[in-house]
Amino acid sequence: MSAIVLVVIGLGAMCLGYVFYSRFIAEKIYKLDDNRPTPAHEFEDGIDFVPTNKFVLWGHHFTSVAGAAPIVGPAIAVIWGWLPAFLWVTFGTIFFAGIHDFGAIWASIRNKAKSVGALTGDVVGKRARSIFMIVIFLVLLMVNAVFGVVIAGLLINNPGSVVPVWGAIAVAFVIGQAIYRFKLNLAIVSFIGVCALYWLIYIGPSVPVTLPEQVMGLGPSAIWILLLFAYAAIASLLPVWMLLQPRDYINGLQLFVGLALLYVAVLFSNPTMVAPMINSDVPAGTPSLIPLLFVTIACGAISGFHGLVSSGTTSKQLNRERDGRFVGYFGAIGEGALALAAIVAASAGFASLAEWKSIYHSFGQGGVNAFVQGGANILHAGIGISPEISATMLTVMAALFAGTTMDTGLRLQRYIFQEWGEIYNIKWMGKALPATFLSVFTCLILAFGAGGASGSGGLIIWPLFGTTNQLLAGLTLLVIAVMLVRQKSPSIYVTAPLSFVLVMTLAALLIQLRDFYLKENWFLFSLDLIVLIAAILVTLECVSVLRKEKRVAAATPS
């Protein structure tokens, strides 16, 4: 099949979802009201609470939730065939991710921009909140520790990407000053910023940066990880308008330009989907399609991490309630478009089925490397960009998004520590600096304590990320459903996807539990068991409250 057919159907369906379905959800279900002051205005402090132009905020939100996951997950999942991955990304974006991301923003702004963890205490109960926040902390710990390893690997494998990746930070800082301090025209600043980013990508291969084999007994990967966490700590403490927000915004524009180039290259080169539609000859050891597909592809269909960003940083910057539709739902559309591009690159970017099989020789193969290699081939064949620059552009794209997710993830982890400080009356923990130190310290303990001098310890618990992350998505939808029942709005549009996600996630947790037991991996077995018990407890709490609220709503006159 021609990849063009897949692109047209996928993007067309997502656009229709935004135009019609998201409008219905905004007006009839969430009932957005611009007359309500948002927390960005109510608690404006110039640091975390900053009313923001919806286009700038969309850029921040989209790139914070994107990371490398919408590339990695789909590019691994095509081992089952491109059709299951395509269907889950397309329908997941429209009916799952859009509702979840948009709903988490709505729930948070209606409750003083509280994170979904803290919000659970108000909506469900204190016991559910305590368990929920542990799950949230585990997700953030995994994301921050692992994305540090991912970015370090990208910088080591492609030295030409170092200058563009770090240069983007300087570009973002200048853009923040231009927009907020000097009040320059947004369109002009955006155009100059995107041009600067692509100029850095162009010159990157000519000035490769390679670290020494050893620096104070540490290898290149460990040095990059330390530098990345040092940067993320500084970024998490600075006002959002100074670095985090403009960095995410300009990266969002850069991604859309990159996606546009990739999709144009598909139209001109018309590549064939060499990967099987449904792979009946999967390599030995590949887990079953159901339920593992639905936790392998998280970002790009539905992801609990998105709810953390929506309720953790985005809700603190929303200028008007109605902006939530564009920022939240259209942010999910951008994520779906990136996941679709990853499927196309990993399925149609190779010369033959034999070449594709040589990469997908076992489960877990493909990922970013398949996206970069396949995408670079399509760009070169379609619009003539050299393979070296194409590979650098796609590597930088993946690294920048992993970096922006890491920035936001560390800031969110800081919020968790601060919320714990408020909940348990630990005054020093409620302050930004010590909370940031605790966030970095816990990530580095995992990275170097479990991974040794390489700093790759986060990879040890990464096998649990997919299930823990999707569990978080289901529980976030449960909180949203309770709020909808209380305001007497139809909840089926939330309860249907949450039921599906919870069933698939709990099934995947049980399958993983069995695998860890058979492999005698007692650390992951114990962690999986903890997550499974937490999932069941919070689910029972939420379902109990949901049933109670439905009875109350039914008994109360409209």
Side-chain angles (χ1 to χ4, degrees), residues 7-90:
V7 169
V8 171
I9 293 174
L11 293 182
M14 291 178 200
C15 289
L16 289 174
Y18 175 72
V19 172
F20 297 106
Y21 191 57
S22 75
R23 180 183 299 155
F24 166 75
I25 296 297
E27 295 177 357
K28 305 298 183 183
I29 308 303
Y30 295 148
K31 299 177 181 177
L32 301 186
D33 181 6
D34 281 347
N35 292 320
R36 288 173 174 263
T38 62
H41 290 282
E42 191 176 354
F43 306 112
E44 184 174 359
D45 61 5
I47 299 175
D48 295 320
F49 292 86
V50 179
T52 303
N53 177 286
K54 70 176 183 179
F55 297 103
V56 176
L57 184 56
W58 172 86
H60 156 71
H61 176 82
F62 168 49
T63 52
S64 293
V65 300
I71 295 172
V72 175
I76 289 175
V78 294
I79 197 167
W80 288 299
W82 57 259
L83 181 61
F86 170 75
L87 292 175
W88 175 227
V89 163
T90 303

Side-chain angles (χ1 to χ4, degrees), residues 18-358:
Y18 175 72
V19 172
F20 297 106
Y21 191 57
S22 75
R23 180 183 299 155
F24 166 75
I25 296 297
E27 295 177 357
K28 305 298 183 183
I29 308 303
Y30 295 148
K31 299 177 181 177
L32 301 186
D33 181 6
D34 281 347
N35 292 320
R36 288 173 174 263
T38 62
H41 290 282
E42 191 176 354
F43 306 112
E44 184 174 359
D45 61 5
I47 299 175
D48 295 320
F49 292 86
V50 179
T52 303
N53 177 286
K54 70 176 183 179
F55 297 103
V56 176
L57 184 56
W58 172 86
H60 156 71
H61 176 82
F62 168 49
T63 52
S64 293
V65 300
I71 295 172
V72 175
I76 289 175
V78 294
I79 197 167
W80 288 299
W82 57 259
L83 181 61
F86 170 75
L87 292 175
W88 175 227
V89 163
T90 303
F91 289 106
T93 295
I94 297 169
F95 298 108
F96 289 72
I99 299 299
H100 172 273
D101 298 11
F102 182 11
I105 294 174
W106 167 78
S108 182
I109 60 173
R110 290 287 175 93
N111 290 274
K112 301 181 179 180
K114 289 182 179 180
S115 73
V116 68
L119 182 57
T120 305
D122 297 338
V123 176
V124 181
K126 292 181 179 179
R127 183 167 50 191
R129 178 193 64 193
S130 299
I131 300 171
F132 202 177
M133 289 185 76
I134 292 172
V135 175
I136 292 171
F137 180 78
L138 282 173
V139 169
L140 291 173
L141 189 63
M142 292 178 194
V143 168
N144 293 333
V146 171
F147 274 28
V149 179
V150 169
I151 300 168
L154 290 170
L155 296 177
I156 292 169
N157 294 330
N158 192 339
S161 66
V162 174
V163 168
V165 167
W166 289 96
I169 297 171
V171 172
F173 183 82
V174 172
I175 286 175
Q177 300 297 312
I179 294 174
Y180 287 99
R181 192 178 295 276
F182 299 107
K183 310 294 183 184
L184 299 182
N185 182 272
L186 178 61
I188 295 173
V189 171
S190 303
F191 176 76
I192 294 172
V194 170
C195 290
L197 284 182
Y198 277 94
W199 177 75
L200 289 170
I201 290 172
Y202 176 75
I203 67 168
S206 62
V207 283
V209 177
T210 304
L211 293 181
E213 288 297 319
Q214 290 285 323
V215 177
M216 299 176 63
L218 296 175
S221 178
I223 295 299
W224 280 130
I225 290 170
L226 289 172
L227 289 173
L228 287 164
F229 272 108
Y231 157 73
I234 294 169
S236 74
L237 288 168
L238 291 175
V240 289
W241 64 267
M242 191 173 288
L243 185 57
L244 183 70
Q245 192 189 86
R247 173 169 154 84
D248 291 349
Y249 170 65
I250 199 66
N251 284 345
L253 294 179
Q254 183 258 354
L255 169 70
F256 257 58
V257 172
L259 276 179
L261 290 174
L262 187 56
Y263 282 130
V264 167
V266 168
L267 292 176
F268 280 110
S269 63
N270 191 19
T272 300
M273 304 291 286
V274 298
M277 180 182 293
I278 297 177
N279 192 3
S280 58
D281 185 28
V282 296
T286 302
S288 60
L289 169 67
I290 297 174
L292 269 298
L293 170 69
F294 304 103
V295 297
T296 301
I297 299 179
C299 298
I302 183 172
S303 166
F305 180 74
H306 295 193
L308 301 184
V309 175
S310 296
S311 64
T313 59
T314 304
S315 63
K316 293 177 174 64
Q317 302 169 61
L318 200 72
N319 186 39
R320 303 182 310 157
E321 275 206 357
R322 289 186 178 275
D323 290 350
R325 176 190 171 212
F326 178 79
V327 174
Y329 198 101
F330 194 65
I333 297 294
E335 184 102 344
L338 177 56
L340 177 61
I343 292 170
V344 170
S347 301
F350 302 97
S352 64
L353 177 60
E355 184 181 350
W356 182 85
K357 284 188 173 182
S358 70

